[in-house]
Amino acid sequence: MPAPTIITPQQLARRIGLPDAPAVIDVRTTEDAAADPRFIPGAIRRGHDDVATWAGRFAGRDVVVVCQKGLKLSQGAAAWLRHAGANAESLEGGFEAWRDARLPLVAPAHVPPRDAQGRTVWVTRARPKVDRIACPWLIRRFVDPDAVFLFVAPSEVTAVAERFGATPFDIEGVFWSHRGEFCTFDVMLDEFALHTEALDRLALIVRGADTARPDLAPEAAGLLAASLGLSRMHRDDLAQLDAGCALYDAFYRWARDATDETHNWPTPGKPA
């Protein structure tokens, strides 16, 4: 059993993708990160050598620190974080153990450049329904927890992207868009190498709801109905995004943990 300040890859994997997931901080050396630039979903890069300057930003938060082998760099940085008031653990075996367990790693080739505050910035059409909520949910849960999303008039997406250094998505003629029968959510799973059984199951539901193909999954019609309802409940797209993320959190937990569970009432075999 690992020490109280160490978390196993399997334990961390169960928490990633959830709304209360810990902040994952990658403190691998520049050389180690260059040798394999993939990163644990949601991880942010920080230097171990200046941990005293940034540790305070994580006070009061759950944090997991990752280095190459789970030894001095991550354990030292985690100790600094605990000193600064964080609930910090180091990853047992580090990046190598996570990789060797064949747990998900984000392919960084198409992760957009980050702004001065370390965030990716995205822009899309206003009044989102399905894909334009599903994609931000995926990004915030598995790629960049601090990602910024700008919702603007459809005619202005390209110009806003150019002027504000944002990455356009879910519009025609850009990299992050529909490809054939697949929607933008599918494309992001491909390009970020985020295929897991649960996310692939969710992708089928999103595709069915977003492309008028409810036959793809029984849950697709329900997702579309909930999405259209949310779009009428919220005038503010960011408020709708927050509400929609809670919806996708629920669908993801079902896709990961509850697909075999059924519900009925009254209990079969008992009198009503």
Side-chain angles (χ1 to χ4, degrees), residues 113-126:
R114 298 176 186 265
D115 69 2
Q117 298 182 49
R119 307 167 299 185
T120 57
V121 182
W122 305 76
V123 62
T124 191
R125 297 169 287 139

Side-chain angles (χ1 to χ4, degrees), residues 92-255:
E92 184 178 50
F95 179 86
E96 291 184 356
W98 182 277
R99 178 199 63 203
D100 293 346
R102 304 183 69 83
L103 292 167
L105 286 166
V106 179
H110 297 294
V111 175
R114 298 176 186 265
D115 69 2
Q117 298 182 49
R119 307 167 299 185
T120 57
V121 182
W122 305 76
V123 62
T124 191
R125 297 169 287 139
R127 307 310 302 141
K129 299 298 186 293
V130 180
D131 228 1
R132 284 167 287 153
I133 298 293
C135 292
W137 172 83
L138 181 73
I139 292 165
R140 282 191 174 165
R141 294 291 183 260
F142 292 92
V143 180
D144 177 13
D146 298 319
V148 174
F149 295 95
L150 309 177
F151 294 96
V152 302
S155 61
E156 301 306 310
V157 172
T158 300
V160 169
E162 293 173 353
R163 294 296 183 91
F164 291 87
T167 299
F169 71 99
D170 205 47
I171 63 169
E172 292 185 4
V174 301
F175 181 80
W176 298 109
S177 190
H178 287 222
R179 297 179 189 174
E181 66 179 17
F182 298 106
C183 63
T184 309
F185 188 86
D186 293 302
V187 171
M188 288 192 173
L189 289 186
D190 283 342
E191 297 295 345
F192 292 135
L194 275 172
H195 287 287
T196 66
E197 184 177 353
L199 286 174
D200 286 345
R201 183 177 286 121
L202 179 56
L204 195 64
I205 300 169
V206 172
R207 192 185 320 147
D210 195 58
T211 62
R213 297 167 65 194
D215 56 298
L216 291 180
E219 301 79 18
L223 175 60
L224 177 60
S227 301
L228 294 177
L230 286 174
S231 75
R232 283 156 176 77
M233 290 169 61
H234 299 281
R235 294 186 62 186
D236 184 326
D237 292 338
L238 294 176
Q240 183 186 341
L241 175 58
D242 288 342
C245 280
L247 177 66
Y248 281 93
D249 287 335
F251 267 90
Y252 175 68
R253 285 303 300 270
W254 168 83

